[in-house]
Amino acid sequence: MRDSSLSRRRFLQSAGAAAVAVPTSIKGFTAAEMRGFDATDVMEADISKWELDTPALCVDLDALEANLATLQQTVVRNGIASRPHAKTHKCPAIARLQIENGSVGICTAKVGEAVAMYEHGIDEILMTTINATLFKITRAMNLRRQCSGFIQATDTPGNARDLSAAAEALGIVADVVVDIDSGGHRTGVTPGQPALELAQLVDQLPGLRLQGMLCYDGGSQHVKGFDTRRARTLERLVPATETYDLMKRSGLNTGIFSGGGTGTYNIDHETRGLTDIQVGSYVFMDAQYLAIGGSGSDLYSDFDTSLTILTTVLNAQYEGRVTTDAGAKACTINQPWPIVKGETGMSYTSGSDEFGTLRYDDPSRTYKLGDKLELIVSHCDPVVNLYDQMYGVRNDRVEAVWRIAARGMSA
């Protein structure tokens, strides 16, 4: 198993390193070439990110590390823990960094993501979506048989019974949390008495072991304006806290009360009983989160924008615009549209499948054929899912090639 801790990273110039032949006359190293340079988990070539073939997904390591530190300092100060959602990055190397920085584990949305994480050495996993079909339940139980730190969610009595039967068939006891509806009616059992009765059932079923509850209020994460977001978040979680109280008074295990996210990471601790937050986008940030506003600013700047798409200009012969190679297949069509990093007076759209369009208003600079530029992504989760790998970059040099091992794991 590969250890992708940044502490092991070094460059060709390190003492005793063997020379590696790197073409100097070619710009645009392919994904396969870059994987070859990083095949032993040691970056064996000194390559600028500007030499990457495009479109390329890059993460600024200094910014990423700062985001990890900011999050952990905040949750420690607020007396809770972090359990980051790996559906954002789908990358075991980043999950490992999160745990090394103090997170109690990770979350996954799908059993396929959980399997991919476990296969790459991550063994504290909370799956936040229920498994409804026999195939998925069996797959999850097989994972639980191997991974003692795997916890599943349930939100109906019938599903809980199915989970218990599958666990008994394999001769195991599965750890389970009850998913509470936060009011959006997307998933989860109704809070209050229905949730209590489900928790009591889980506690009694022979194949299950109750570990607590989760309640994720996704609708509050992108509410604009910190004060408005705080008020909505705290109001929406009141029924969950009341359910937590019912479970605790009934003598049930409430060791886990998981919820919250990037938009509410500095609010969630005010929900009584909450043990950990399911932050995801904080590692990367994106245009959607920048727009929601922070506690003291109209711009949400608590975390740095570490994730970018590197793209190349394909056509610059028309006044007021250029065409790039990063369209919907590289950027998605989520809005707001990507932002050109470090520039002003220009706008970018990625509505065409293959091509992006950069339009000038009062531009801080203009681009010519072959120039490369960086885009702050619209919504990091679906963008990451478009790529097989991302490049860890520090001071414009590629320091790591990280596999996005859970890419496409939507089942």
Side-chain angles (χ1 to χ4, degrees), residues 107-409:
C107 296
T108 65
K110 301 297 179 69
V111 66
E113 290 176 347
V115 170
M117 289 293 156
Y118 177 69
E119 288 176 344
H120 288 81
I122 308 301
D123 56 10
E124 294 294 335
I125 305 166
L126 171 61
M127 183 181 165
T128 59
T129 306
I130 72 161
N131 290 305
T133 65
L134 178 59
F135 174 78
K136 281 189 170 64
I137 290 171
T138 302
R139 190 180 188 195
M141 290 303 169
N142 282 322
L143 174 59
R144 172 61 184 84
R145 184 166 57 176
Q146 302 171 69
C147 179
S148 61
F150 179 56
I151 304 172
Q152 304 170 62
T154 188
D155 63 2
T156 63
N159 181 250
R161 292 188 180 96
D162 289 343
L163 293 179
S164 181
E168 284 191 280
L170 291 176
I172 62 173
V173 176
D175 292 311
V176 171
V177 290
V178 173
D179 180 19
I180 310 296
D181 178 19
S182 64
H185 307 321
R186 183 173 65 179
T187 65
V189 63
T190 301
Q193 193 64 30
L196 174 63
E197 292 174 1
L198 177 57
Q200 290 171 331
L201 174 64
V202 169
D203 192 53
Q204 295 163 7
L205 288 169
L208 304 183
R209 181 166 45 230
L210 181 68
Q211 294 293 343
M213 56 182 272
L214 63 85
C215 185
Y216 174 66
D217 179 20
S220 292
Q221 299 306 313
H222 288 86
V223 171
K224 292 187 178 181
F226 179 82
D227 292 339
T228 303
R229 189 162 65 252
R230 177 177 177 273
R232 172 170 167 167
T233 298
L234 297 180
E235 178 183 0
R236 289 280 290 265
L237 268 293
V238 167
T241 295
E242 292 173 346
T243 302
Y244 165 84
D245 291 338
L246 287 173
M247 289 175 59
K248 194 169 186 178
R249 285 198 297 268
S250 298
L252 297 171
N253 185 359
T254 55
I256 294 176
F257 178 3
S258 184
T262 296
T264 58
Y265 84 104
N266 53 355
I267 298 169
D268 294 314
H269 65 285
E270 297 184 56
T271 292
R272 182 168 43 81
L274 194 84
T275 58
D276 57 82
I277 55 175
Q278 300 173 11
V279 285
S281 300
Y282 81 101
V283 289
F284 295 145
M285 296 306 290
D286 52 36
Q288 289 186 355
Y289 264 115
L290 289 176
I292 70 172
S295 58
S297 171
D298 291 337
L299 184 70
Y300 188 45
S301 57
D302 296 40
F303 301 103
D304 295 332
T305 50
S306 66
L307 188 73
T308 58
I309 297 167
L310 186 68
T311 180
T312 301
V313 173
L314 302 181
N315 189 318
Q317 61 186 307
Y318 300 107
E319 185 177 358
R321 59 177 287 168
V322 299
T323 302
T324 76
D325 63 359
K329 293 178 182 177
C331 302
T332 78
I333 56 173
N334 282 267
Q335 295 188 34
W337 295 111
I339 300 167
V340 181
K341 184 175 182 179
E343 306 295 350
T344 60
M346 58 185 72
S347 60
Y348 192 93
T349 56
S350 55
S352 174
D353 284 353
E354 312 296 345
F355 308 114
T357 301
L358 179 65
R359 290 182 172 85
Y360 299 134
D361 179 18
D362 182 19
S364 50
R365 62 161 291 178
T366 58
Y367 293 91
K368 64 182 184 300
L369 178 67
D371 282 349
K372 292 179 179 178
L373 56 133
E374 286 186 282
L375 305 172
I376 296 170
V377 305
S378 298
H379 182 190
C380 51
D381 295 31
V383 167
V384 168
N385 200 45
L386 297 173
Y387 294 83
D388 291 324
Q389 63 198 40
M390 68 179 76
Y391 301 102
V393 176
R394 200 186 307 275
N395 298 323
D396 282 355
R397 315 309 293 182
V398 179
E399 188 171 321
V401 181
W402 284 339
R403 182 185 172 196
I404 304 173
R407 180 197 177 184
M409 304 296 181

Side-chain angles (χ1 to χ4, degrees), residues 42-92:
V42 175
M43 190 62 193
E44 295 179 338
D46 184 6
I47 294 175
S48 166
K49 72 179 178 184
W50 303 107
E51 296 178 285
L52 295 171
D53 190 28
T54 63
L57 193 64
C58 298
V59 58
D60 183 289
L61 295 175
D62 287 332
L64 173 68
E65 291 166 0
N67 292 343
L68 295 174
T70 296
L71 187 280
Q72 281 307 121
Q73 290 164 5
T74 301
V75 295
V76 168
R77 184 170 62 247
N78 290 336
I80 57 175
S82 66
R83 198 187 302 264
H85 222 305
K87 69 182 179 66
T88 294
H89 54 71
K90 292 179 171 281
C91 177

